[in-house]
Structures are given as structure tokens and as C-alpha cells.
Amino acid sequence: MQRRSFLLSAVAIPFATLPALAAVPEAIVVMKSPSCGCCGAWASHLNSAGLKTEIRNVDDEQLWTMKDRLGVTAELASCHTALAGTYVIEGHVPAADIQRLLSERPDAIGLTVPGMPIGSPGMEMGAERDAFETLLIHADGSTEVFARHG
């Protein structure tokens, strides 16, 4: 009887709201080296923007194996890799870019900020800032500029 009640309540949800419910993952899972401090600072940036994070420390070999399996090449890599629903988020991607990705839902692997640009979220160093780009990673490995910063 409880199962029937659950099914009836699930059917009562308007279908139009389902994509919106699926757009934001419960938590962005951040895989990082245990010794990396900037990764924790990036997760704090996401939390401050209302994006819940779950941090998992993994050894470097496991992290690089995972990046390769997810389609993150050495040229696109940074210090940490995260999963936001079905998307890969590589490096110090600003929260606003992730929120836009989850809202627009493009057909892509995910986003990356290659390297570790000074002034990107988690890499703040006072007033010093490098201009950087957030790249959208396509399934074929190609990229395009998703956002420009600085």
C-alpha cells in the first residue's frame, strides 16, 4: 500500500518540472589529492555560491587514471576533478559557470579551467589576477570557450 501511495504522489509531479529537478546534482563530488589546499578553497567557493560539495581524497595515480577515463587530457587538466551530475568539472571553474552549465545542459563532457590561473576561485592571491577562460569539453575532445574571466 505504501508503494502505491509513493507512485501516485510521483505521478502528481508535473512533467515540466522534471528537467529542473534533474538540473542540479545533490552534491558536486570533488576528487583531489589529500595534500592540495587550493582544492578545498575551490570547494568553499562553490559552497558559498549555494552548490553543495562532497570532497574525496584520492592518490595521484588514481586521480590521473580517472581524468583519462573521463576524457580530461593533460592539456585540459588541473589539480582536481569533480563530477556535477553527468558533467566533469576540471580545475578552478567559477561557480557561476557551473550553474550556467547545469541550467543550459549542453551536450558535452563538461567544463575545464586548465592549469591553475592566479585569481581563479581557490587560487586567490590578493589583488593579483590572471585572465583565464573556462572551456566546454565536447565528446570528441575538442573545446570551445564557455566563459572569459578577467
Side-chain angles (χ1 to χ4, degrees):
M1 196 62 139
Q2 287 177 330
R3 185 174 177 193
R4 176 178 275 163
S5 297
F6 172 75
L7 290 174
L8 290 174
S9 64
V11 172
I13 298 172
F15 287 113
T17 64
L18 291 178
L21 291 174
V24 179
E26 187 168 312
I28 295 174
V29 180
V30 181
M31 278 74 65
K32 68 173 207 63
S33 169
S35 61
C36 189
C38 66
C39 303
W42 178 72
S44 293
H45 162 75
L46 298 186
N47 290 328
S48 295
L51 295 168
K52 183 179 172 186
T53 60
E54 176 184 323
I55 296 176
R56 295 187 185 164
N57 290 316
V58 297
D59 66 54
D60 289 338
E61 185 178 330
Q62 185 180 13
L63 186 60
W64 282 99
T65 299
M66 183 183 56
K67 289 174 191 289
D68 186 51
R69 189 183 46 172
L70 293 171
V72 177
T73 63
E75 297 79 27
L76 300 176
S78 184
C79 56
H80 57 266
T81 302
L83 298 174
T86 61
Y87 291 110
V88 174
I89 309 296
E90 179 69 17
H92 295 268
V93 177
D97 294 350
I98 297 169
Q99 290 165 328
R100 179 178 151 210
L101 175 80
L102 296 173
S103 173
E104 294 178 4
R105 313 262 336 136
D107 183 19
I109 291 174
L111 297 175
T112 184
V113 170
M116 299 169 70
I118 295 171
S120 61
M123 291 296 298
E124 293 87 356
M125 295 189 171
E128 190 176 346
R129 300 209 181 287
D130 293 336
F132 67 94
E133 297 176 333
T134 300
L135 305 176
L136 183 69
I137 308 168
H138 296 287
D140 66 1
S142 66
T143 61
E144 69 177 270
V145 175
F146 188 77
R148 288 186 168 83
H149 303 278

